[in-house]
Amino acid sequence: MNATQPAEAVDIQGLLWSGFGSLPEAAFLLVRIDNPPAARVWLHTAGVTTIADLANPQATVLQIALSANGLRRLGVPDRIRDAFAPEFLDGMAGDAARSRRLGDVGASAPENWRWGYPSEPDALLLLYAQAGGLETFKRDIGAAVRQAGFTVVHELPTSDMGSKEPFGFKDGVSQPRIDWEGRRTPNSSDDLEYGNLISVGEFVLGYRNEYGLYTERPVLAESGALPDAEDRHGSRDLGRNGSYLVLRELHQDVRGFWRFVAEQAGISGAEALAEAMVGRHRSGEPLVARHHLPIRGVGPGQADIEANQFIYDADRAGVGCPVGAHVRRANPRTGDLPGGRQGLVARLLRTLGVPRPDLRSDLIASSRFHRIVRRGREFGSWVDPRTAMQPDCPEPASGLHFICLNANISRQFEFIQNAWLNSAKFNGLGDESDPLTGNRMPLQSGQPTDRFSLPQANGVARRLQSIPPFVTVRGGGYFFLPGVRALRFLTQ
Amino acid sequence: MTPQSTFMVAAPIQAHREPELQRLLGQMNDAPGQADPRNALLPFASYPQLHVARFVILHDKTLSDLGAYGIVFPDAPVWLVFLGDCDGSAEDMLARFAGTAADGLRQIFAHCEVPPGPDLLDWMRRHSVMPAAQYVNWVGRTVQQIREEAALHEFLRNSLGREPHLLSQAPAAIRARLVEQARRGGPVLSPQLATPAAWRRERALWLTQTALVGLLLAPILLLCSPLLLWQLRRRERADPVIAPRPDPLHVVELAALEDYDVSNAFSAFGSVKPGRFRLWTLLLVFRMLEFSTRFIYTRGRLARVGTIHFARWVFLDNRRRLLFASNYDGSLDSYMDDFINKVAFGLNLVFSNGIGWPRTRFLLGGGAAREQEFKNYLRRHQLPTQVWYKAYPGLTAADLATNTQIREGLQRASMTDVEARRWLALI
């Protein structure tokens, strides 16, 4: 690690710092706690890898996250438990209204999940290892937790697709850069424009977020080995150095995807169409030209500049990158005010909405309040696009164990999922949801959402119709990834 | 142009019959909170002038917040409100309801403390409450126009789909072809009706009045401003903030009614801070707000927010309590995001005069910008909208604006290539 580590690196699980790219093997264990006293002992002493540990190469890494169920099972008192985020307490599938918002309906409805419904697992153990090292590590951890009164309910295997996701696109190209060093003050005029350097408090509880405030979390009066609460003098912060971890098992119909695009655009045009739907080239390169100014939190490395120094202001119509493309929905790269930095009077007028701005210029929320750190891993077998298009290609049964970290599940993960990815009305569009992840279910009123428009230079959009679903949710849950002291406190 | 009007009938209900009334209102729905457009009690869809409408039982669960000011309000009524927005006059709308759905409305209003007598319309008139301020997304756009423009959009989109060879032509040529097709086989586009003279007169009168009062008040307010600011800051520092996390069961009850259509109904109720200072501030703010919505924000946006179809602010209980009701696009999280990041100052102007609002600075800063407190406050004061009707499900305010621009562009005599390209992009 060449960057300076955060001050409390010894208390923060490594996943907030790194996706452990040097450890290509991973498995995620969903466990039930059958014997709470024994489980507490094991969890209390479990060797979780912290950011500080990552200063040295690690052969294996263990990360531990707990669900709301798990906290109950461990005997965490209600008054403490109830101070966690309501979404976390409800669970991902805890409420039909939430499923509606997340688009978890139809084939992706919780009733059809393999796990996570009707009750979520108590804990999630994330295991990472060097090539060839996972089997032993998993066996050791498995034996230890079984002895400690856990049952492994589900094991989610992963496969190394060489930094590509199953559809064949480079994955994890864009991530927010966490402002560990506290270099910026949110809500300055810089934020009128898109930036990629995001406050620690958006991802780690107990720190200032993008509003300059502290996200709700359990803050306790009692002493103990917990960190102090920055915003409440004399109190202890159970949330500090922890994060909420969202896990979703996404099955990707790789053959269906490539056959569909080949059908629409011919074998030779398939790749270009797929890239337009994703919003990036398969290599990860953006579809729009590089922005002429640097973007905060992008670079200085040349690779990052090439991959991420862009915004969509110069491509409002979506001729370069379709307005509804997956990555444009997932991060629209918007600042606080369309037009960005400007004179005081102009800014005041824009804030008041006079003169009336262009119809579609101000429909998307500012990106900085809706970012997530993604840490997912692929599963299943890899097939390259050409093979996937062939009629005799065997089913690769592949997908993504989507993992993201955020401090406010409803404002970050759920907002992105609901207002951006799933919304048929994203940025003034009318009848399309995310071209990759959309569930294609018609609106309540019957209007379709299974279309996709590719704006052309002459103004007319080429339109795809009756797009089948390519991604199905088969499991999911909300977890708390505690700081090390918090984990010890919860299991004492 | 046909201007829109707003109606609201409000009457206290017999407290013990609230559950019964809830069940009755529930019968009007085909999904939780979503009105069946053809329900037997009030078949909303049979009124082509009606944009949105709702029935809400205003059972204020935050009444005890008054205690922070040492006030009790033990006889606070539980209101039943029936409100909506329509084309043409509200008086006519109520008359149509009374004329064609008297049985259903009587069944509903029978739960009120003083139920309607033989003359239902007269009862509704007497129980009508005008808003202190209101907002219409697009003044003059009728339900009929919305439907015709949506049909036009659909028609043009399908026309393009039927003729893929058009895709490669120049914008002006494509437009010419579409104009031709719409002329031959497109949906009916009714011409706008003349703007009623009475509406113009009322508007001019309102403006004159407001200007006169403003001219009279401005010097006084200016002279007193140091004193007023001192008074304001004193209160802002001392007023209690009441924004605990809302009861999870309350949130579940609210969420169960949300996110069926692309739009949602929002109803919230709370108490105004006691004393003349806050009340007069509110009256002044509502005048300014009403001015802005009548003369500035009449075309698709309220300041930067483009997702609100209709909104209103209404005093009840002799200006002791305030109802806010709106119809917005997207989920509540998007709505709150707009509130916090785009118009926190506007919300503060109004709602910081309500009990418990997150702490503000000089009436504009803080408040809604205090994210979590604001979200708690908002959910806590929100009430379930028992029955909600929207005449154009599946369409957002942005859709409506797009469709209007498409129609306007179609009817223009000519366009340059650049204009035609922009116009085609709307389709």
Side-chain angles (χ1 to χ4, degrees):
Chain A
M1 292 291 141
N2 38 24
T4 324
Q5 293 207 334
E8 296 184 29
V10 290
D11 199 40
I12 310 175
Q13 296 203 47
L15 198 59
L16 273 157
W17 182 259
S18 160
F20 313 120
S22 60
L23 304 177
E25 298 192 341
F28 306 142
L29 309 183
L30 301 164
V31 301
R32 190 178 66 224
I33 297 169
D34 293 325
N35 180 352
R40 272 198 293 270
V41 171
W42 185 82
L43 287 168
H44 197 77
T45 51
V48 291
T49 304
T50 66
I51 294 182
D53 296 330
L54 296 178
N56 305 307
Q58 304 287 312
T60 59
V61 161
L62 169 68
Q63 305 282 280
I64 297 178
L66 303 163
S67 72
N69 262 342
L71 294 180
R72 188 184 301 114
R73 198 83 69 130
L74 288 171
V76 175
D78 282 354
R79 80 188 151 79
I80 295 179
R81 231 176 57 94
D82 290 348
F84 281 94
E87 313 85 275
F88 167 73
L89 297 175
D90 283 355
M92 186 184 282
D95 179 12
R98 170 161 288 108
S99 297
R100 231 170 18 243
R101 282 200 305 279
L102 294 178
D104 295 345
V105 292
S108 291
E111 295 77 42
N112 301 320
W113 289 2
R114 296 196 317 123
W115 60 271
Y117 182 87
S119 77
E120 52 193 354
D122 293 332
L124 166 67
L125 311 179
L126 304 138
L127 279 52
Y128 301 84
Q130 287 173 338
L134 184 68
E135 270 316 305
T136 321
F137 185 43
K138 202 170 67 186
R139 202 173 52 232
D140 294 351
I141 295 280
V145 296
R146 276 184 198 100
Q147 202 159 29
F150 292 88
T151 300
V152 178
V153 190
H154 275 286
E155 181 190 327
L156 308 180
T158 72
S159 29
D160 178 18
M161 295 188 179
S163 79
K164 286 196 285 290
E165 53 71 57
F167 290 140
F169 285 76
K170 190 168 177 196
D171 196 18
V173 182
S174 163
Q175 296 272 15
R177 185 166 303 163
I178 305 179
D179 186 19
W180 292 110
E181 290 154 43
R183 273 180 293 164
R184 62 180 275 269
T185 323
N187 301 321
S188 77
S189 60
D190 285 348
D191 290 326
L192 298 177
E193 287 165 359
Y194 171 71
N196 191 49
L197 186 65
I198 305 289
S199 302
V200 180
E202 289 294 301
F203 311 104
V204 192
L205 293 164
Y207 296 79
R208 281 183 191 277
N209 63 21
E210 281 294 316
Y211 287 108
L213 303 169
Y214 292 82
T215 302
E216 272 190 326
R217 69 224 182 268
V219 172
L220 316 174
E222 55 248 68
S223 53
L226 286 174
D228 290 336
E230 262 183 22
D231 56 337
R232 264 170 278 178
H233 188 71
S235 300
R236 306 283 168 272
D237 193 339
L238 181 58
R240 189 166 170 101
N241 296 329
S243 184
Y244 289 111
L245 183 154
V246 176
L247 171 61
R248 275 160 90 75
E249 181 175 326
L250 306 177
H251 285 241
Q252 298 179 225
D253 182 3
V254 176
R255 293 181 307 174
F257 175 74
W258 283 106
R259 281 173 196 171
F260 175 79
V261 291
E263 223 169 77
Q264 297 291 320
I267 302 273
S268 59
E271 183 159 314
L273 177 57
E275 289 175 335
M277 290 165 78
V278 170
R280 280 189 188 267
H281 291 289
R282 284 188 57 208
S283 61
E285 258 177 88
L287 297 184
V288 298
R290 185 184 302 179
H291 191 45
H292 60 282
L293 295 170
I295 293 173
R296 255 175 320 126
V298 174
Q302 194 56 31
D304 192 29
I305 288 175
E306 273 164 25
N308 285 307
Q309 188 175 308
F310 70 95
I311 52 176
Y312 298 107
D313 285 17
D315 184 35
R316 182 94 39 87
V319 177
C321 174
V323 175
H326 174 70
V327 303
R328 193 164 176 169
R329 284 175 176 268
N331 178 10
R333 297 175 177 248
T334 41
D336 285 4
L337 195 62
R341 234 183 271 263
Q342 45 210 314
L344 206 61
V345 177
R347 188 173 154 186
L348 182 69
L349 288 177
R350 270 186 182 265
T351 303
L352 292 172
V354 281
R356 198 147 31 92
D358 169 25
L359 193 72
R360 295 190 183 190
S361 67
D362 201 4
L363 290 171
I364 314 179
S366 182
S367 284
R368 67 189 176 106
F369 301 104
H370 312 285
R371 301 297 305 277
I372 48 175
V373 168
R374 290 173 298 140
R375 295 290 189 236
R377 292 265 175 148
E378 288 75 25
F379 64 85
S381 9
W382 163 257
V383 288
D384 68 85
R386 280 295 157 111
T387 316
M389 288 176 212
Q390 305 304 320
D392 56 348
C393 171
E395 168 60 50
S398 57
L400 177 69
H401 292 306
F402 171 90
I403 289 178
C404 77
L405 301 172
N406 53 188
N408 188 328
I409 301 173
S410 65
R411 173 158 62 78
Q412 294 169 273
F413 165 71
E414 289 185 353
F415 184 99
I416 295 170
Q417 186 70 24
N418 170 258
W420 289 351
L421 293 183
N422 244 330
S423 171
K425 305 295 179 178
F426 172 77
N427 201 10
L429 295 169
D431 51 11
E432 51 186 88
S433 61
D434 188 281
L436 298 187
T437 68
N439 60 25
R440 318 289 182 236
M441 300 286 282
L443 301 178
Q444 187 81 2
S445 43
Q447 284 103 320
T449 69
D450 60 352
R451 308 191 172 167
F452 183 65
S453 43
L454 299 118
Q456 303 191 127
N458 64 357
V460 184
R462 206 180 125 205
R463 296 171 55 77
L464 308 185
Q465 317 247 3
S466 308
I467 307 175
F470 302 125
V471 172
T472 315
V473 187
R474 298 300 307 281
Y478 292 153
F479 299 88
F480 174 55
L481 182 81
V484 174
R485 281 175 286 178
L487 179 63
R488 306 288 181 248
F489 175 86
L490 290 168
T491 54
Q492 68 196 357
Chain B
M1 180 194 73
T2 305
Q4 282 60 53
S5 311
T6 185
F7 64 87
M8 172 165 144
V9 177
I13 60 166
Q14 305 168 37
H16 67 280
R17 296 185 69 188
E18 187 182 333
E20 191 190 327
L21 177 58
Q22 278 190 1
R23 276 195 298 277
L24 181 68
L25 293 175
Q27 288 172 18
M28 301 171 75
N29 296 332
D30 55 13
Q34 317 295 302
D36 172 356
R38 314 205 170 276
N39 77 84
L41 289 177
L42 181 59
F44 297 102
S46 52
Y47 305 96
Q49 306 83 357
L50 189 60
H51 287 259
V52 288
R54 75 182 74 181
F55 285 90
V56 192
I57 299 171
L58 302 181
H59 190 147
D60 188 356
K61 290 170 184 157
T62 62
L63 212 53
S64 60
D65 294 358
L66 281 163
Y69 291 84
I71 301 171
V72 285
F73 190 1
D75 50 348
V78 173
W79 294 90
L80 168 65
V81 296
F82 167 42
L83 59 89
D85 297 87
C86 61
D87 299 321
S89 90
E91 174 69 27
D92 292 351
M93 195 72 235
L94 289 184
R96 276 187 211 103
F97 289 142
T100 54
D103 289 353
L105 287 171
R106 276 180 188 284
Q107 253 192 58
I108 295 166
F109 293 135
H111 296 77
C112 296
E113 274 179 12
V114 185
D119 189 344
L120 174 65
L121 179 59
D122 178 61
W123 184 91
M124 292 206 290
R125 272 196 210 120
R126 280 189 290 110
H127 287 86
S128 286
V129 183
M130 289 310 291
Q134 58 167 320
Y135 169 71
V136 177
N137 178 276
W138 198 287
V139 176
R141 187 170 53 203
T142 62
V143 175
Q144 184 184 8
Q145 184 184 342
I146 286 169
R147 296 211 168 115
E148 289 177 357
E149 287 172 354
L152 174 69
H153 188 174
E154 176 88 13
F155 173 83
L156 294 175
R157 192 168 259 195
N158 290 341
S159 300
L160 277 173
R162 273 195 306 272
E163 299 189 68
H165 62 275
L166 282 178
L167 285 178
S168 52
Q169 293 185 10
I174 307 173
R175 177 172 179 272
R177 174 78 183 140
L178 289 178
V179 170
E180 170 64 17
Q181 290 199 340
R183 196 180 55 77
R184 275 192 290 154
V188 179
L189 298 171
S190 312
Q192 289 204 341
L193 301 178
T195 308
W199 182 78
R200 283 187 198 280
R201 271 199 305 278
E202 198 270 338
R203 211 166 112 98
L205 187 68
W206 190 92
L207 187 62
T208 318
Q209 243 179 28
T210 305
L212 281 177
V213 174
L215 280 175
L216 279 173
L217 272 181
I220 305 172
L221 287 176
L222 201 66
L223 266 175
C224 303
S225 59
L227 180 71
L228 293 174
L229 281 178
W230 174 71
Q231 283 283 332
L232 174 70
R233 286 302 292 155
R234 198 173 61 86
R235 289 179 161 79
E236 286 186 329
R237 285 199 202 96
D239 283 343
V241 173
I242 309 171
R245 194 184 276 192
D247 177 3
L249 291 177
H250 178 61
V251 176
V252 167
E253 190 187 353
L254 293 169
L257 309 177
E258 291 170 351
D259 299 314
Y260 293 92
D261 182 37
V262 294
S263 313
N264 282 304
F266 183 82
S267 310
F269 198 42
S271 297
V272 178
K273 286 173 180 168
R276 265 173 289 189
F277 184 86
R278 289 297 188 177
L279 181 62
W280 288 357
T281 306
L282 257 183
L283 292 174
L284 179 70
V285 168
F286 280 141
R287 261 286 148 154
M288 286 161 43
L289 184 60
E290 183 72 11
F291 171 79
S292 74
T293 58
R294 280 184 187 229
F295 297 96
I296 301 171
Y297 304 126
T298 58
R299 285 286 179 275
R301 271 172 210 269
L302 182 54
R304 281 180 67 198
V305 177
T307 51
I308 303 177
H309 292 261
F310 293 92
R312 73 178 71 209
W313 295 258
V314 196
F315 281 120
L316 282 169
D317 299 301
N318 204 14
R319 294 175 178 166
R320 290 172 76 176
R321 291 196 285 176
L322 187 66
L323 164 71
F324 173 68
S326 67
N327 307 265
Y328 67 95
D329 298 325
S331 69
L332 189 75
D333 262 300
S334 312
Y335 198 37
M336 292 193 295
D337 192 272
D338 276 354
F339 277 161
I340 298 169
N341 297 333
K342 291 181 175 171
V343 287
F345 68 93
L347 268 81
N348 291 343
L349 276 172
V350 176
F351 295 108
S352 69
N353 301 298
I355 287 182
W357 188 256
R359 201 165 299 292
T360 49
R361 287 185 312 275
F362 294 102
L363 212 54
L364 297 172
R370 304 186 58 81
E371 183 208 359
Q372 196 56 58
E373 281 180 358
F374 162 70
K375 287 177 174 172
N376 288 349
Y377 178 94
L378 180 137
R379 264 303 199 199
R380 196 166 161 267
H381 282 271
Q382 192 186 350
L383 292 173
T385 299
Q386 275 83 13
V387 180
W388 179 61
Y389 169 75
K390 173 173 163 238
Y392 23 89
L395 294 178
T396 60
D399 286 330
L400 304 186
T402 303
N403 295 348
T404 295
Q405 288 193 333
I406 290 173
R407 199 252 310 144
E408 284 170 355
L410 182 84
Q411 293 176 335
R412 270 181 53 182
S414 71
M415 270 192 191
T416 64
D417 240 20
V418 175
E419 288 168 332
R421 181 161 52 79
R422 285 215 193 99
W423 182 74
L424 287 170
L426 296 170
I427 301 169

